[in-house]
Amino acid sequence: MTDDIDPDRTERARKLFAGPIAFLKSAPALQHLPAPTVPEIAFAGRSNVGKSSLLNALTNRNGLARTSVTPGRTQELNYFDVGEPLVFRLVDMPGYGFAKAPKDVVRKWRFLVNDYLRGRQVLKRTLVLIDSRHGIKDVDREVLEMLDIAAVSYRLVLTKTDKIKASDLAAVHAATEAEARKHPAAHPEVIATSSEKGMGIAELRTAVLEAVES
């Protein structure tokens, strides 16, 4: 299932993501966040879910998400400005579910992300990325529950869909939508994407703009 497509919004989204997009800053703590003057769309996902690749595909820029991924920055909120004049910001949240991370790093992640999600008035939607090869794991459910409690609107996005068979994708898509329906803050429809093949990217751009304008 997909939303009723608004061709006008789809075209505006295409133009917006083809225009100026720039890395703004990394925020290691709440006091470093930029002023909350424009809508924000956040990206969350397990550390190996393909978040950088999806952000680069979404913005049609090869190295955008990696601009900020240097040692020591992985536990920060990375901000990207979209549009000139500025229309909204993308927020790349640090990956979760890293089994080998020290406990204090995991705790820092939880505090930063929890505080950001609960207190950011301009946050319009969080996109939670799910690896289509593995489906939703318990660590993902913990984050979904965190978003439910924070009353933050979010939407599930399947990644790496080119890596599995069509029949398997249909099954994981249905299972992911079934999970979404259990969560009060989740958008009921799931977007399936492939950064490599470009599948679902135009739909995701439109969904981002729809959230910004809602």
Side-chain angles (χ1 to χ4, degrees):
M1 280 180 63
T2 56
D3 294 324
D4 294 330
I5 299 299
D6 175 352
D8 177 57
R9 179 176 280 142
T10 298
E11 178 60 12
R12 281 187 290 118
R14 185 193 68 76
K15 285 182 175 171
L16 198 53
F17 279 101
I21 299 176
F23 172 67
L24 174 65
K25 67 184 298 188
S26 291
L30 292 189
Q31 62 264 36
H32 299 288
L33 297 183
T37 53
V38 294
E40 293 173 3
I41 303 292
F43 286 75
R46 291 201 304 274
S47 18
N48 57 353
V49 77
K51 194 146 48 72
S52 293
S53 298
L54 188 67
L55 274 163
N56 289 335
L58 187 72
T59 58
N60 212 17
R61 287 156 176 80
N62 281 335
L64 185 80
R66 290 186 182 84
T67 312
S68 53
V69 181
T70 53
R73 283 187 172 178
T74 50
Q75 294 312 301
E76 302 179 352
L77 298 169
N78 296 311
Y79 271 82
F80 302 91
D81 285 349
V82 180
E84 203 173 275
L86 180 62
V87 178
F88 63 93
R89 290 187 169 117
L90 300 175
V91 186
D92 184 10
M93 300 206 296
Y96 57 81
F98 26 74
K100 295 184 177 66
K103 280 197 170 68
D104 61 326
V105 171
V106 177
R107 197 178 306 116
K108 184 186 172 195
W109 181 92
R110 279 200 165 273
F111 280 129
L112 176 63
V113 171
N114 246 319
D115 290 347
Y116 168 74
L117 292 173
R118 279 206 309 265
R120 197 67 171 167
Q121 294 296 321
V122 292
L123 177 61
K124 289 288 199 167
R125 183 158 291 159
T126 297
L127 299 172
V128 182
L129 277 44
I130 305 292
D131 189 327
S132 61
R133 299 170 301 178
H134 308 302
I136 293 180
K137 291 182 174 285
D138 287 342
V139 67
D140 297 311
R141 288 189 181 90
E142 286 178 27
V143 172
L144 303 188
E145 284 164 15
M146 188 168 78
L147 290 161
D148 288 335
I149 292 165
V152 172
S153 169
Y154 62 92
R155 187 164 186 167
L156 300 177
V157 177
L158 293 172
T159 63
K160 305 183 182 181
T161 59
D162 57 303
K163 308 290 188 202
I164 64 173
K165 293 187 297 190
S167 55
D168 293 340
L169 176 57
V172 77
H173 197 284
T176 307
E177 287 201 335
E179 178 75 32
R181 285 194 290 271
K182 298 176 188 173
H183 294 271
H187 191 289
E189 290 165 2
V190 172
I191 299 175
T193 67
S194 162
S195 301
E196 276 189 31
K197 306 289 187 188
M199 175 184 166
I201 298 300
E203 186 184 347
L204 186 59
R205 287 175 184 150
T206 306
V208 167
L209 187 58
E210 184 256 329
V212 165
E213 294 177 343
S214 64

